[in-house]
Amino acid sequence: MILLRNISKIFDHGKTPVVAVDSVDLTIEQGQIYGIIGYSGAGKSTLIRLLNGLEKPTSGSVTINGHEISSAKGEALRQARLKISMVFQHFNLLWSRTVRENIAFSMQIAGAPKAQIRARVAELIELVGLTGREEAYPSQLSGGQKQRVGIARALANSPDVLLCDEATSALDPQTTDQILDLLLDINRRFKLTIVLITHEMHVVRKICDRVAVMENGKVVEEGEVLDVFTRPQQPITRQFVRQVSQYKEEEAFNPDLTRDLDGAVIKLTFTGLNTHQPVVGELTLRYGLPFNILHGKMSQTAHGVFGQLWLHVIANQGQLNNILADLRNGGIECEVIKHA
């Protein structure tokens, strides 16, 4: 569906060229919700502009649905862009036009018949939950309603790909979740490929199928969301995963709980059916040791649940080795975070 092959983008600003995107290879399958996450300056916004042809790569190729966007020009590029729509962080609505007129605008530009425009706009207003607000102006809408207009406008020409550039970062957490639920519904209903650019791991966790982590223009880690959350490989990825705990502050583990404890503190990470195992009870029965639960949490991703549990136990080295082996044999990731 979307193929990026050895894509690089270098901006020539004076004597020092800026490498915004550095030798990126990505494959995004049709119907996926794909997250690209990174902090400011990581290159993710430049990457999304390469996807819709607003920027031309310095080297490499971008192919969408068999069309090479990176080399398309003129009418060919214009036709390709009709199938690649965008949702923006700050909405980019026409303030002098109503909700209905904003949604209709892209269809008018494309030359669609008036009757078709009226029918499509009515359909989209209902889809995004704006029934009754058709004649309102952007200044009369909340942030979430403005973004719903932006999404409806992006869907007007029935695109194959929806690009979302920080589409929820200007919204409060509750409204963010509502917009993410809407995007997930659109994806499932129409099998629409969605590429999300974000710096919020909560966004990735909630709706994405796969994620690429960018740093200094490079993709440093990529994979299925559940795998990346449970087994992050790079320091920046682990930092993003910790960010999800901070999204709900009460879920964060307090390391001070271990300060005065003798023995070992073990962190368990488990996914899928493993989340329903009576792990603590089984360990207690098998080893005859008291296991103290320090902290636990469960998180939902688009493809299943994963959980983390911090246990304290006083055990000798042999017992501890056997405990860790039993957990790993049962498909549970574990690590000793303190051993006195």
Side-chain angles (χ1 to χ4, degrees), residues 31-49:
Q32 278 187 336
I33 302 181
Y34 196 99
I36 299 174
I37 190 167
Y39 292 116
S40 296
K44 57 189 189 299
S45 291
T46 301
L47 188 65
I48 205 171
R49 290 170 64 83

Side-chain angles (χ1 to χ4, degrees), residues 303-319:
H303 289 276
V305 175
F306 77 94
Q308 292 179 320
L309 192 65
W310 283 259
L311 299 179
H312 168 242
V313 63
I314 297 177
N316 62 43
Q317 188 61 53
Q319 289 172 320

Side-chain angles (χ1 to χ4, degrees), residues 250-269:
E250 69 275 9
E251 291 184 358
F253 175 64
N254 182 3
D256 289 343
L257 292 173
T258 70
R259 181 174 299 168
D260 299 322
L261 294 176
D262 294 326
V265 176
I266 310 171
K267 177 185 175 184
L268 282 58
T269 302

Side-chain angles (χ1 to χ4, degrees), residues 176-186 206-207:
T176 290
D177 282 343
Q178 292 170 354
I179 294 299
L180 294 178
D181 287 338
L182 174 60
L183 290 172
L184 188 59
D185 178 60
I186 289 167
K206 188 173 177 66
I207 69 169

Side-chain angles (χ1 to χ4, degrees), residues 33-340:
I33 302 181
Y34 196 99
I36 299 174
I37 190 167
Y39 292 116
S40 296
K44 57 189 189 299
S45 291
T46 301
L47 188 65
I48 205 171
R49 290 170 64 83
L50 291 168
L51 288 178
N52 62 11
L54 289 176
E55 295 283 356
K56 293 292 184 183
T58 304
S59 61
S61 64
V62 178
T63 305
I64 299 179
N65 264 356
H67 301 287
E68 192 174 326
I69 302 298
S70 48
S71 61
K73 297 178 181 178
E75 182 62 18
L77 180 58
R78 193 183 77 83
Q79 290 299 321
R81 280 180 179 161
L82 288 177
K83 292 298 181 181
I84 307 170
S85 285
M86 194 137 172
V87 179
F88 301 91
Q89 176 181 358
H90 296 296
F91 321 124
N92 284 23
L93 301 180
L94 298 169
W95 292 85
S96 62
R97 296 184 179 231
T98 65
V99 167
R100 187 193 307 277
E101 291 167 341
N102 265 282
I103 298 171
F105 184 68
S106 61
M107 296 186 73
Q108 292 168 344
I109 295 297
K114 290 184 178 180
Q116 181 183 337
I117 292 174
R118 282 195 299 271
R120 181 64 172 158
V121 169
E123 175 188 348
L124 289 169
I125 285 173
E126 181 178 358
L127 174 68
V128 301
L130 288 174
T131 302
R133 304 294 285 162
E134 296 91 335
E135 304 307 323
Y137 288 90
S139 61
Q140 299 170 311
L141 302 176
S142 67
Q145 289 172 330
K146 290 172 189 173
Q147 198 55 287
R148 288 172 186 271
V149 177
I151 292 170
R153 179 186 58 189
L155 295 175
N157 286 311
S158 301
D160 297 323
V161 177
L162 183 64
L163 307 177
C164 300
D165 189 6
E166 300 280 7
T168 60
S169 62
L171 306 175
D172 63 76
Q174 183 178 356
T175 306
T176 290
D177 282 343
Q178 292 170 354
I179 294 299
L180 294 178
D181 287 338
L182 174 60
L183 290 172
L184 188 59
D185 178 60
I186 289 167
N187 166 259
R188 290 174 174 172
R189 190 179 301 195
F190 304 112
K191 306 301 181 187
L192 179 66
T193 304
I194 299 176
V195 182
L196 282 168
I197 300 294
T198 185
H199 64 273
E200 300 172 295
M201 201 61 166
H202 168 72
V203 172
V204 171
R205 176 189 66 82
K206 188 173 177 66
I207 69 169
C208 290
D209 302 305
R210 294 183 71 88
V211 60
V213 183
M214 290 193 71
E215 186 177 27
N216 297 326
K218 292 182 175 290
V219 171
V220 297
E221 191 161 351
E222 195 272 346
E224 294 184 2
V225 168
L226 201 54
D227 289 340
V228 170
F229 263 82
T230 55
R231 290 179 288 275
Q233 302 299 308
Q234 300 296 322
I236 190 172
T237 311
R238 290 192 285 272
Q239 188 173 342
F240 275 123
V241 170
R242 286 195 298 270
Q243 182 189 91
V244 176
S245 296
Q246 296 162 6
Y247 189 78
K248 291 186 176 180
E249 190 174 338
E250 69 275 9
E251 291 184 358
F253 175 64
N254 182 3
D256 289 343
L257 292 173
T258 70
R259 181 174 299 168
D260 299 322
L261 294 176
D262 294 326
V265 176
I266 310 171
K267 177 185 175 184
L268 282 58
T269 302
F270 39 92
T271 60
L273 294 176
N274 285 334
T275 59
H276 302 296
Q277 290 184 26
V279 175
V280 179
E282 289 179 354
L283 290 175
T284 301
L285 290 172
R286 186 172 302 156
Y287 292 96
L289 298 171
F291 287 82
N292 180 26
I293 299 175
L294 299 178
H295 184 74
K297 63 179 182 178
M298 302 279 281
S299 296
Q300 180 73 44
T301 73
H303 289 276
V305 175
F306 77 94
Q308 292 179 320
L309 192 65
W310 283 259
L311 299 179
H312 168 242
V313 63
I314 297 177
N316 62 43
Q317 188 61 53
Q319 289 172 320
L320 184 59
N321 289 340
N322 290 334
I323 290 167
L324 296 176
D326 283 347
L327 288 168
R328 288 166 181 152
N329 288 336
I332 297 172
E333 298 282 332
C334 55
E335 62 175 311
V336 177
I337 62 173
K338 178 183 179 183
H339 189 207

